[in-house]
Amino acid sequence: MSARGVVLAGVGGQGVVLASAVLAEAALRSDFEVKQSEVHGMAQRGGAVVSHIRYGETVASPVVPLASADVLAAFEWAEALRWMPYLAPRGALVVDARRIVPPGACKDHRTWGVPYPAMDTATVAHRVADVLLIDASGIAASLGNPKTANSVVMGAVSRFLDIDDVAWEKAITRFVPPGTEELNIAAFHAGQEAGSVRPEAIPDLGLDPIQQRSYRIEVDHSWCKDCGICPTVCPEFCLAMDHAHRLVVVDEAACIGCRLCEALCPDFAIRISVGDPAVVSGGAP
Amino acid sequence: MTTLSIRADRALLSGNEAIARGAWEAGVHVAAAYPGTPSTETLQALARYDEVDSRWATNEKVAVDVALGASLGGARAFAAMKHVGLNVAADTFMTASYVGVGGGLVIMVADDPGMHSSQNEQDTRLYARLGLVPLLEPSDSAEAKDHTKLAFDVSEEFDTPVLLRSTTRISHNRGIVPLEERREVPVRGFRRDPAKYVMLPAYARGRHPVILERLERLAEYAGELAVEEGTDTRVGIVTAGVPYQYVKEVAPDLRILKLGMSYPIPIERIRRFAETVDRLVVVEELEPFLEEALLAAGLEADGKAFFPRTGELSPDLVRDGLAALGVADPRPPIPDAPTTVTRPPLMCPGCPHMVPYWSIKRLGATVTGDIGCYTLAALEPLATMDTCISMGASIGMASGMAASGGSDEPVVATIGDSTFLHGGVPALMEAVYNDADMTVVILDNGTTAMTGGQEHPGTGTTLAGEKARAVDIPALCTAVGVEDLHVVDPYDVSATLRAIEQAMAYRGTSVVITHRPCVEAPLRVKDRPFEVIPDNCTACQLCMNLGCPAIVWTDEVFEGRRKVTIDAAMCTGCTLCAQLCPPRAIVPVEVHP
């Protein structure tokens, strides 16, 4: 048989590296040749993390070639989409039906939209043989420890691989934190039984674009004593002190109308007024 | 990650662990390194063996100095670093080539093609040619161990330091490695030999021809190390390292000459190989190092016309090249990934680096940055870093920026504690000495955080976990002549803002040390988390300016703006967002009995 390939994907801190160590060890215990490849460093926290595992009679490349993975397992929806090109058309996508919205996606102060992709399996179902969207986090929580969600996912992954339960259980026992072995094995078996949840059962975040407004910043310089409080609080850096330590409005267009400057001005020298609501064309990018 | 061992005689090891194992089996006595992705775990793995004196050095040059000194003392010695670390160590490295060794001396250098965690993707093989030093290149974990052991023998047999080149795909890949016992090698003892060890010009002139003669013998040896395989003679591939695995993946029957030692290049061996194939092609990552040498030797060879010179190779890129050469099937059309959200790396929740940068952004400055986690401050929402070049460069560059008079705003250098000790101290002396009008913010989190929390001379603990004397950074600054010195807790937002503001107003070289341990190392900080009272949140976005990954938008809207929420599982309870929140909407989570 040619080497099997599994791609594990998630967000830094989710345990991708640990899960891939479990799979690599389980394959090794099944007397396969194993190679595993990961990249860490800059992606230590909050960044996208991916690990490749290949096993078989012989394995050359430690990296899974594109469109050849037997399984893509993602611990989060957006990461499943990111690594789809690695999954073979005959392969299986296993994904935990959870969303981790990156803070960097919360920055569009024009439309207030979040470009997080809708959790809709139809966007991927036509590309691969199997799609298993499971509520791993919910199952793990119901078992008593939400941190065992990865073991639930790996249980679901095991349905598509030729590694027996004994090897999996020994590998899990070796790598999970002491005292959580039984819980993780139970989570693994729950993953083997887990049914696909319908995407409509997972409510979307509702972070659709909302109506844009514009604002005017009016400073009454006859009342302003250039104390410097408002530039310190303005979240959008609309206000600044110039070289002569005078208050200046440097970026009125960036104003989001929070009125902190107005509220905190000791001299009632700032007034924020709402402009006409503007029509936003299109949705979140 | 701990070593996986199933049977006593084999283990699944990363390349770094395998290199450490190889060094141990080879009887290494002394090992030194400065952490750097992707090389860091090598010394950490080696430190688990009691027989080896493994230590963190202040920087890579000091690591190579220590290793060379140990080698001349007759011990087997090892140094490890990332590719750019060799730039720092280059001064010693270049002349170590002339000096040769006592006990075997192996310098492991891990390249980072694709720049997963680096500022450039320089090719260490060029250093081998510059230093006239042999370079070994393993292609997987098992070879990484074997090549390491071989490197010590080569070093002693040919009286030369040996470079062991890894890459990210060797260092951070795991594979099965057969385990053997350690061979105890006696320490030979130091033999005084000024003509060999004191590189006065008169002595050095005598050494250069010796090195060139050594190189000729090594080239012959490199030919013996090369392995030939495959039967399909339409194309003959010359390769080394992980690209060999990609060629085997895509075209397992192709004729391949796999080099174990890729410098000196065994030209005559390759010439004989070329005669057995229709066409000679080099598959190598980064520079056309082998290709140009073959062309210079009058061999007809291709390489970079088919395989990219930038970034990492992959099975897919190798397939593209081999398909263009007509010896592999092209890859099938693969649909693009569905549109998804970008997810750049972030500072951790509670990171003590957030408020110093938030303060600098508030105050406005030209910021020369440095290498570490805090380089992420270059990204939104902090976006408060204007340069990042090399370890320690921030301070000297700030001095030059100030001297140029070209910055409308005050000039601020930002640098971490480990980076400051690595390469920042000489630059601070320069700034004070020449009275540069600038501020240095030393982000002291008491660890080498970027690479996973390693000790350094300022932490008070050695690599072996033993207590050590710690550099007193404020006293060090005072000793070099800094007069305007502020030490603040970056968890105190107003104190940090005020200290940086005062330091920026000072005429001359001022220093602010923000002192607070990293939230990840040595201890993972997890205090009572905070939550947002939705009714009190005015959606002002002030907390979002911190760039804390635990704070995201919700679907609740206030006056057309999104309110925020805190992920309690991620929140470390640092209080920073609560300190900033004008309506006091952020409070500690109620503790339920």
Side-chain angles (χ1 to χ4, degrees), chain A residues 1 51 54 75 107 124 135 149 178 194 224 227 233 254 259 274 278:
Chain A
M1 107 187 174
S51 177
R54 302 192 79 214
F75 300 130
K107 65 178 182 188
V124 292
D135 184 16
C224 175
C227 69
V233 295
R259 298 172 190 275
V274 184

Side-chain angles (χ1 to χ4, degrees), chain B residues 33 97 110 151 265 315:
Chain B
S97 172
I265 300 164

Side-chain angles (χ1 to χ4, degrees), chain A residues 36-37 42 54 61-62 66 76 78-79 82 100 112 127 174-175 207-208 231-235 256-257, chain B residues 3-4 6 169 173-174 176 249 316 331 335-336 340-341 343 345 362 380 450 540 542 545 554 561-562:
Chain A
Q36 184 245 325
S37 178
M42 207 64 182
R54 302 192 79 214
S61 169
L66 288 167
E76 192 270 351
E79 295 310 308
R82 187 180 322 283
I100 299 178
W112 300 87
R127 294 170 58 134
R174 187 179 161 87
F175 280 106
L207 291 185
D208 298 323
T232 310
V233 295
C234 177
I256 58 171
Chain B
T3 300
L4 317 183
I6 310 303
R169 293 289 175 191
N173 285 2
R174 287 185 179 77
I176 298 171
E249 181 72 35
D316 310 297
R331 54 170 129 152
D336 290 339
T340 189
V341 63
R343 197 184 298 278
R362 281 276 151 218
E380 286 185 330
M450 181 78 210
C540 74
L542 201 53
N545 284 341
T554 72
R561 302 181 300 275
R562 288 207 185 277

Side-chain angles (χ1 to χ4, degrees), chain B residues 315-567:
Chain B
D316 310 297
L317 291 171
V318 168
R319 177 175 292 282
D320 291 346
L322 294 179
L325 285 157
V327 290
D329 296 330
R331 54 170 129 152
I334 297 162
D336 290 339
T339 304
T340 189
V341 63
T342 57
R343 197 184 298 278
L346 302 157
M347 287 188 188
C348 301
C351 178
H353 297 335
M354 288 190 290
V355 164
Y357 283 101
W358 179 89
S359 304
I360 295 166
K361 184 170 186 174
R362 281 276 151 218
L363 296 164
T366 298
V367 180
T368 56
D370 224 300
I371 311 275
C373 295
Y374 47 90
T375 313
L376 295 171
L379 306 178
E380 286 185 330
L382 291 168
T384 309
M385 188 175 292
D386 299 307
T387 69
C388 170
I389 312 294
S390 69
M391 291 288 289
S394 60
I395 298 178
M397 288 183 65
S399 179
M401 183 73 76
S404 77
S407 171
D408 291 338
E409 295 177 304
V411 178
V412 176
T414 60
I415 185 167
D417 48 332
S418 191
T419 308
F420 176 65
L421 297 179
H422 173 289
V425 179
L428 181 60
M429 290 191 272
E430 188 280 336
V432 173
Y433 173 53
N434 291 311
D435 196 24
D437 187 12
M438 57 180 267
T439 298
V440 180
V441 177
I442 301 173
L443 306 151
D444 180 7
N445 61 0
T447 189
T448 315
M450 181 78 210
T451 43
Q454 288 72 30
E455 306 294 344
H456 63 66
T459 65
T461 307
T462 67
L463 171 57
E466 283 158 11
K467 204 167 156 48
R469 278 177 289 275
V471 174
D472 181 337
I473 294 177
L476 177 64
C477 293
T478 305
V480 304
V482 173
E483 288 179 352
D484 190 61
L485 177 70
H486 310 253
V487 180
V488 289
D489 178 358
Y491 273 10
D492 184 336
V493 176
S494 53
T496 304
L497 182 69
R498 198 166 54 241
I500 296 175
E501 187 173 26
Q502 287 170 356
M504 279 165 54
Y506 176 81
R507 166 66 194 82
T509 307
S510 54
V511 172
V512 178
I513 300 170
T514 62
H515 183 70
R516 165 67 63 167
C518 173
V519 289
E520 286 287 306
L523 297 175
R524 183 162 287 187
V525 176
K526 179 68 186 171
D527 214 327
R528 189 171 156 194
F530 279 64
E531 65 183 343
V532 179
I533 304 168
D535 285 350
N536 291 7
C537 177
T538 61
C540 74
Q541 313 296 315
L542 201 53
C543 56
M544 294 295 283
N545 284 341
L546 283 171
C548 176
I551 311 175
V552 291
W553 282 346
T554 72
D555 53 2
E556 274 195 71
V557 170
F558 180 77
E559 290 186 352
R561 302 181 300 275
R562 288 207 185 277
K563 294 186 181 186
V564 300
T565 186
I566 296 172
D567 182 339

Side-chain angles (χ1 to χ4, degrees), chain B residues 113-258:
Chain B
M115 296 176 271
H116 296 287
S117 196
S118 301
Q119 67 270 38
N120 75 26
E121 53 180 353
Q122 67 188 46
D123 187 332
T124 293
R125 297 177 300 170
L126 294 163
Y127 262 116
R129 192 165 73 200
L130 189 63
L132 310 173
V133 161
L135 178 139
L136 290 162
E137 243 185 308
S139 72
D140 62 14
S141 290
E143 270 185 25
K145 196 199 78 168
D146 291 345
H147 278 31
T148 307
K149 294 172 78 171
L150 183 67
F152 281 98
D153 293 339
V154 168
S155 173
E156 289 173 2
E157 186 182 337
F158 292 89
D159 191 17
T160 176
V162 176
L163 283 174
L164 180 71
R165 184 204 189 204
S166 178
T167 59
T168 302
R169 293 289 175 191
I170 298 295
S171 285
H172 287 173
N173 285 2
R174 287 185 179 77
I176 298 171
V177 179
L179 303 180
E180 295 156 285
E181 287 308 304
R182 174 176 168 94
R183 184 165 75 89
E184 288 299 343
V185 181
V187 175
R188 299 170 172 193
F190 178 60
R191 292 171 204 156
R192 193 162 280 124
D193 187 354
K196 187 163 183 280
Y197 296 152
V198 181
M199 286 299 97
L200 287 166
Y203 291 153
R205 284 184 206 114
R207 293 297 298 170
H208 197 175
V210 175
I211 305 315
L212 296 177
E213 183 274 330
R214 177 181 79 196
L215 212 53
E216 277 176 35
R217 287 185 290 125
L218 279 161
E220 216 163 285
Y221 183 80
E224 291 165 24
L225 279 184
V227 179
E228 238 173 280
E229 53 189 79
T231 52
D232 181 351
T233 57
R234 287 176 295 163
V235 164
I237 301 288
V238 179
T239 189
V242 81
Y244 160 78
Q245 304 290 357
Y246 301 151
V247 175
K248 287 299 280 183
E249 181 72 35
V250 173
D253 297 327
L254 223 49
R255 287 287 285 166
I256 298 175
L257 183 70
K258 178 175 68 163

